[in-house]
Amino acid sequence: MAVKIIKIKTGFTLIETILASIVLCGAVLTLGAISTRSLSQAKLNRQFETAIASVERQLALVDYMGIDDFIESGRMEGDTEEFERRYHWKITTESHEIENLYVVNITVSWVERNHPYSISVDTIFSGTVEPIETEEQ
């Protein structure tokens, strides 16, 4: 009587191992690319937040001085350096149709890797109102 020996293969073949390695490498590269893009977007987000903070400081200065005194001072643009980056701010004003109202535009711009970015904000400020003298009867 002949006895047949059944051989059970265990383990992986060379082709299966190579294919698994390729899939694993692809997944690691994809995750690395996503992480890198996420970090660069976080950096750009921080720059926009810094620009918005600069706009808020300029608005607070205009509010503190009063729009009439601010316009008379003549300082309508300047530079600030924060987080090793230079931000240029510029303020433009124009009279509104309604008396003693001014439309104020503040623009902050900066350059990151030869690519210009800017953010612009418009608001309205009220100038000083001269009191109206009335005759008392």
Side-chain angles (χ1 to χ4, degrees):
M1 171 155 111
V3 178
K4 286 188 174 179
I5 299 176
I6 300 176
K7 205 173 191 187
I8 300 175
K9 292 185 177 181
T10 59
F12 299 103
T13 65
L14 181 60
I15 298 295
E16 291 172 333
T17 306
I18 290 173
L19 287 176
S21 297
I22 290 172
V23 170
L24 182 63
C25 287
V28 168
L29 288 174
T30 302
L31 288 175
I34 290 171
S35 298
T36 302
R37 183 144 175 95
S38 176
L39 288 175
S40 65
Q41 289 297 323
K43 182 178 178 183
L44 184 61
N45 187 40
R46 183 181 70 190
Q47 292 171 0
F48 271 100
E49 287 177 353
T50 304
I52 290 170
S54 180
V55 167
E56 288 175 347
R57 279 193 303 275
Q58 297 307 317
L59 283 173
L61 178 65
V62 172
D63 191 36
Y64 176 75
M65 290 179 69
I67 186 66
D68 296 321
D69 292 336
F70 184 80
I71 292 172
E72 286 177 17
S73 74
R75 186 157 189 252
M76 298 299 217
E77 62 183 290
D79 292 319
T80 59
E81 282 197 38
E82 296 183 38
F83 299 113
E84 300 175 3
R85 180 142 340 278
R86 179 173 290 224
Y87 294 87
H88 180 76
W89 56 269
K90 183 176 182 179
I91 300 177
T92 58
T93 60
E94 63 182 64
S95 296
H96 196 271
E97 326 167 322
I98 301 173
E99 186 178 343
N100 292 322
L101 286 183
Y102 295 92
V103 177
V104 177
N105 174 279
I106 301 177
T107 302
V108 176
S109 56
W110 70 98
V111 176
E112 171 68 25
R113 295 186 182 180
N114 295 327
H115 187 274
Y117 293 96
S118 68
I119 188 167
S120 183
V121 175
D122 292 324
T123 188
I124 296 178
F125 276 97
S126 175
T128 56
V129 178
E130 298 294 328
I132 299 174
E133 296 180 21
T134 59
E135 295 180 20
E136 292 182 25
Q137 296 180 5

